[in-house]
Amino acid sequence: MVERARFAPSPTGPLHIGGVRTALFNYLIAKRSGGSFILRIEDTDSKRTVAGAENHIKDTLKWLGLNIDEGPIKQSERKGLYKKSVEELLKKGLAYYAFDSSAELESARKESKGEFKYNYETRMNMVNSFTVSEEETKSRVERGGYVIRMVIPEKETIRVADEIRGSLNFNSNEIEDKVIMKSDGMPTYHFANVVDDHDMRITSVVRGEEWLSSLPSHVTLYNHFGWSPPKFYHLPLILKSTGQGKLSKRDAEEQGHPVFAVQWEESKGFKESGYTPEGILNYLALLGWKGKGDREKYSLDELVKEFDSKDINKSGARFDIRKAEWINHLHLKDFSSKKILSLSEQAKILLEKKYSNEVSEQIIDLIKERLNNLFDVEKEVFVFVSQPKNYDQEAVEKITRNTIYNILNFCKLKEELLSEPLLLKESLMSFGSENKISFGNIMKTLRLCIVGRLSGPDLFKIIDIIGPEETLQRIESLINKI
Ligand code: GLU
């Protein structure tokens, strides 16, 4: 089946990664079938609309490369459709005008000790178009200030099917006659959502688990209209990394990691924290979905091919920033050096001062395996452009000063070998065995001298790239320091 899936955020705030995951799963379900990914902005609640939120949603999708085929379609521009649709239900007697004032509703609530539900049991005691005359309805409607509610039938089992959770039954008596049109003439979320999904010929509704409880009302609306409902997928929650509950902005801040894909106000996104769209999409796909075997790395195209909605989990998925970083690493290490340089402006500037493009790319090849995020590029190229600023003191202490001195002095005397790193290596090996210095200590010494610490890319390749003069300078620097 060629799917039409929509991502339907409300612009009531920035788009956090939970929403991004919803967008991604919509995208994958649509694209796997060769179908369309549609963006709908659910902005019928103007009081809750936040300036800039819609752009944040669009910027996020753009950065991630989740290209939309249709939209954005804005609900605030489709009032006519909702009006026409609600009239249809009013005519069928499946919706009604409700004129109750807030004071009347309040007192009904009080009387029932907070148990009040506007439903089959109570609706005939309230002020609405079922209980007042046609005449009065007309004049009250003219005066305005009413809402329209949908009828939820009495004593029915509402059967809903969710592709992830299977079929579920709801008792209609537990459900309220939801307001579907507000007094400002705007539809509520529930109504606009169903009317639009039908009008836009949506085949799969993919959204967060928090909407599962609204599903019986939505399904009732489909029944009222005589429409057949789409397939529903209610995605598992994204849980905070430790403890109970849903991941929130606060939890993310406490754990020191982003919660938005792209920056929102003061809050840096994954983009600004050195993550790649490839890494983030891949990580989010694994939050609630698992492919075959132990495979972890997927490009977006591979996800489109491999994603099977049958493998979406029911239970919540725990957010794990270390895993996100690991997945980001898997992508970075496979990027071409050219691409990495184009993504790290700072590293590019540093390298350009000393090296040709070709050598710069060779350098990136040497450090790729060591990158977890894009800021690491700058850190890792540092060794190629400047002397160590300081030395790992603990490591220095472990080798005797005398040994360090002897090794460095040997290198200095063999200056001609500094331009032949492989010969240098061989001659250091024989120097070691003649003088009973372990090759381990020789390597550590040289690494401390060139890099300043014991980690880093292949030492003799660094020497080859920085060249004999620079190597000699670094040797002298450390000799002077000890
Ligand atoms: N506007 C809803 C939200 O922001 C959409 C839910 C749905 O996809 O039906 O979560």
Side-chain angles (χ1 to χ4, degrees), residues 6-12 22 26 40 42 75 189 193 197 205-208 210-211 218:
R6 85 309 190 265
F7 175 47
S10 305
T12 50
T22 301
N26 270 291
R40 184 170 76 219
E42 301 208 323
Q75 288 188 326
Y189 153 74
N193 188 273
D197 283 342
V205 165
V206 184
R207 60 188 170 197
E210 65 274 24
W211 298 108
H218 295 188

Side-chain angles (χ1 to χ4, degrees), residues 55-74:
N55 281 339
H56 189 253
I57 294 165
K58 289 192 242 171
D59 292 347
T60 301
L61 297 182
K62 192 163 173 211
W63 178 63
L64 291 168
L66 295 178
N67 299 329
I68 53 176
D69 300 302
E70 290 173 35
I73 289 154
K74 294 179 68 159

Side-chain angles (χ1 to χ4, degrees), residues 103 193 321 410 415:
N193 188 273
I321 190 66
F410 173 81
E415 201 188 322

Side-chain angles (χ1 to χ4, degrees), residues 129-286:
S129 49
F130 287 147
T131 58
V132 302
S133 68
E134 221 171 285
E135 213 79 325
E136 192 174 343
T137 294
K138 226 173 160 190
S139 84
R140 280 182 180 260
V141 167
E142 265 160 32
R143 268 184 274 151
Y146 58 84
V147 297
I148 300 177
R149 290 180 181 269
M150 67 184 283
V151 171
I152 296 281
E154 186 187 346
K155 270 205 222 124
E156 265 187 21
T157 301
I158 306 175
R159 240 177 265 290
V160 303
D162 181 78
E163 300 297 313
I164 301 173
R165 277 147 234 274
S167 45
L168 303 164
N169 290 336
F170 289 84
N171 175 356
S172 70
N173 288 2
E174 303 289 318
I175 302 167
E176 261 209 317
D177 286 356
K178 282 208 162 60
V179 172
I180 54 176
M181 276 283 174
K182 294 176 286 185
S183 53
D184 62 1
M186 280 300 235
T188 55
Y189 153 74
H190 304 285
F191 191 65
N193 188 273
V194 167
V195 168
D196 277 340
D197 283 342
H198 173 74
D199 182 71
M200 292 160 67
R201 292 171 289 114
I202 298 301
T203 56
S204 277
V205 165
V206 184
R207 60 188 170 197
E209 188 182 82
E210 65 274 24
W211 298 108
L212 192 59
S213 58
S214 308
L215 192 53
S217 312
H218 295 188
V219 168
T220 303
L221 280 173
Y222 281 98
N223 293 341
H224 282 358
F225 280 112
W227 298 334
S228 52
K231 283 177 284 181
F232 293 100
Y233 298 81
H234 287 87
L235 303 179
L237 289 178
I238 298 184
L239 306 172
K240 54 173 99 175
S241 48
T242 52
Q244 300 271 305
K246 200 169 142 176
L247 174 69
S248 68
K249 179 165 179 261
R250 218 178 72 214
D251 300 317
E253 271 162 5
E254 271 169 22
Q255 301 286 325
H257 63 75
V259 73
F260 305 124
V262 304
Q263 180 145 356
W264 172 259
E265 293 172 349
E266 301 301 303
S267 214
K268 281 204 170 63
F270 281 94
K271 179 184 178 196
E272 294 74 22
S273 308
Y275 286 78
T276 60
E278 291 84 347
I280 287 301
L281 287 175
N282 188 162
Y283 177 63
L284 291 180
L286 301 178

